[in-house]
Amino acid sequence: MIDDLIDTLDKHNAKAIFFVNGYRVKEKPELLKLIHDRGQIIGNHSWDHIDLNIETEDSVRKQIEDVQNIVEDTIGEKPRFFRPPFGSVNDTLQQIVGENDMIYTTWSNDSLDWDPKNNKPEAVIQNIMDQMHPGSNILMHELPWTVEGLDELLTKLEAEGYSFVDPRTISDNPGTGN
């Protein structure tokens, strides 16, 4: 599925951040290498995909830094972006993300592809189109119906005048280049 997804992104000259969980990287490091080798971006999504808001500082640090380490060991670089499971946020989490020189990332548009009632490409596309606005940051997952609808979605977005930003050009300090 990853190859088809990246083929579609390539067709539209689009980049995505693939936010990964450490336990999945440990199970299938070859998928991480494939995503990286195909020119897409790897992001940190915690080790276990747990709600970090209810964890201790030590647990949060381990959840984040263990992913930083396994990704670096696998592809030679650490993730620059962090997306918290469930969109959870608190000061401790943001501090640890900052200490690890990452940009804290969430989304403005949820495709709702993770919800079983939206397990059709048409539903995913409609959910995104209903929320679109300049500067949108779309949350999607590597699911069959999402991959199936991606080409149509990107074509529709382009037809409406949207273009795609390479996440590597995003700065956590606008105007400074950092």
Side-chain angles (χ1 to χ4, degrees):
M1 212 170 20
I2 293 291
D3 273 318
D4 291 341
L5 192 149
I6 296 173
D7 287 346
T8 302
L9 291 169
D10 287 348
K11 175 182 173 183
H12 292 272
N13 196 27
K15 298 293 182 191
I17 303 172
F18 287 76
F19 287 97
V20 299
N21 296 116
Y23 79 92
R24 291 183 186 260
V25 173
K26 186 176 180 181
E27 290 171 358
K28 300 226 179 222
E30 67 278 6
L31 289 179
L32 187 77
K33 290 177 187 173
L34 173 69
I35 294 164
H36 179 260
D37 291 349
R38 299 261 335 249
Q40 298 297 325
I41 298 100
I42 305 297
N44 183 329
H45 195 42
S46 81
W47 189 271
D48 291 310
H49 199 278
I50 57 176
D51 185 348
L52 299 174
N53 266 345
I54 60 174
E55 296 296 310
T56 66
E57 182 176 344
D58 287 343
S59 174
V60 170
R61 186 172 302 284
K62 184 166 178 50
Q63 284 285 320
I64 292 172
E65 293 178 356
D66 284 359
V67 174
Q68 292 296 88
N69 293 331
I70 196 170
V71 170
E72 183 178 34
D73 291 347
T74 305
I75 63 169
E77 61 187 59
K78 292 182 179 184
R80 181 76 173 110
F81 298 92
F82 176 79
R83 180 168 63 84
F86 317 108
S88 294
V89 61
N90 64 37
D91 292 342
T92 300
L93 181 54
Q94 287 185 314
Q95 175 189 331
I96 294 168
V97 168
E99 289 171 4
N100 282 276
D101 197 31
M102 286 186 287
I103 297 172
Y104 194 92
T105 309
T106 57
W107 58 92
S108 60
N109 300 39
D110 188 347
S111 67
L112 302 173
D113 59 357
W114 49 267
D115 186 332
K117 66 183 175 200
N118 292 302
N119 66 356
K120 294 187 175 27
E122 305 78 32
V124 172
I125 292 166
Q126 193 61 54
N127 286 335
I128 292 167
M129 296 306 291
D130 287 348
Q131 301 173 63
M132 282 307 296
H133 57 84
S136 286
N137 182 359
I138 303 167
L139 173 66
M140 301 174 82
H141 299 85
E142 299 89 18
L143 298 166
W145 45 92
T146 304
V147 174
E148 185 181 334
L150 186 60
D151 186 48
E152 182 180 343
L153 170 66
L154 297 180
T155 299
K156 283 183 174 196
L157 291 173
E158 290 168 322
E160 290 199 11
Y162 289 100
S163 59
F164 311 113
V165 173
D166 186 328
R168 289 173 285 229
T169 66
I170 296 170
S171 170
D172 58 352
N173 295 314
T176 68
N178 293 327

